[in-house]
């Protein structure tokens, strides 16, 4: 089996999401016994990341069986890009406490778009507007102060 960027990326993000899943209880304090609390949204996001990573990994492995010499086999630079994306997530999680949710998320989102070589400027704008909108919704309607 050849390691493609889809296989490496899927495996890395599964490992990342499992690590985040186990870190959520130690990082987010809960005052209420309700099922919907401060851990709810991070758990949903983590489960979604885990599910999509697993789907991507399975699809990549199955596609290798049908096309053994696929042109998507990884090059050294593709592997480096996946590793850089993983490091970006780690740095993002460390920066959250120091510069806050909105700034850290905008920087990480735009950085990841640049790493995967997205050239359409409106993707950067959409990413930024979405982060600001989520921050506004959480502060205004859910009364949740993001880091």
């Amino acid at each position: 089996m050849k390691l493609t960027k889809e296989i490496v990326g899927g495996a890395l993000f599964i490992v990342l999401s499992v690590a985040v899943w186990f870190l959520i209880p130690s990082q987010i304090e809960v005052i209420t016994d309700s099922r919907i609390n401060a851990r709810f949204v991070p758990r949903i996001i983590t489960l979604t990341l885990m599910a999509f990573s697993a789907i991507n990994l399975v699809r990549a492995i199955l596609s290798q069986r049908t096309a053994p010499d696929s042109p998507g086999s990884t090059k050294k630079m593709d592997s480096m890009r996946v590793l850089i994306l993983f490091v970006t997530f780690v740095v993002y999680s460390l920066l959250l406490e120091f510069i806050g949710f909105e700034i850290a998320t905008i920087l990480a989102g735009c950085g990841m778009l640049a790493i995967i070589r997205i050239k359409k400027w409106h993707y950067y704008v959409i990413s930024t507007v979405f982060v600001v909108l989520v921050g506004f919704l959480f502060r205004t309607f859910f009364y949740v102060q993001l880091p």
Side-chain angles (χ1 to χ4, degrees):
M1 172 172 54
K2 278 188 173 181
L3 287 180
T4 62
K5 59 185 172 184
E6 289 83 10
I7 291 174
V8 173
L12 275 175
F13 282 104
I14 287 174
V15 169
L16 173 72
S17 59
V18 168
V20 168
W21 180 263
F22 287 110
L23 285 173
I24 287 173
S26 67
Q27 298 295 314
I28 302 173
E29 286 186 37
V30 175
I31 299 169
T32 179
D33 290 334
S34 171
R35 285 185 175 205
I36 298 178
N37 54 36
R39 293 180 187 161
F40 181 75
V41 173
R43 283 185 173 159
I44 295 296
I45 293 170
T46 303
L47 282 174
T48 305
L49 177 64
M50 198 180 308
F52 282 128
S53 299
I55 291 168
N56 190 32
L57 183 61
V58 169
R59 286 179 60 195
I61 291 171
L62 292 177
S63 71
Q64 266 195 354
R65 291 184 183 176
T66 59
D69 292 330
S70 69
S73 62
T74 196
K75 298 174 190 160
K76 192 172 188 172
M77 191 57 196
D78 290 337
S79 296
M80 284 300 294
R81 216 175 293 144
V82 171
L83 184 62
I84 291 170
L85 282 171
F86 184 75
V87 169
T88 303
F89 271 110
V90 173
V91 170
Y92 165 70
S93 66
L94 296 173
L95 284 178
L96 270 174
E97 188 175 332
F98 297 108
I99 61 175
F101 168 78
E102 289 179 359
I103 296 172
T105 306
I106 290 170
L107 289 174
C110 291
M112 284 184 258
L113 287 172
I115 290 167
I116 59 175
R117 295 184 179 162
I118 300 296
K119 294 180 180 162
K120 296 182 179 180
W121 63 269
H122 60 275
Y123 286 5
Y124 295 87
V125 172
I126 291 169
S127 172
T128 302
V129 168
F130 184 74
V131 169
V132 172
L133 182 65
V134 166
F136 174 76
L137 288 173
F138 270 77
R139 279 190 309 274
T140 307
F141 296 109
F142 299 134
Y143 303 109
V144 174
Q145 189 63 32
L146 298 172

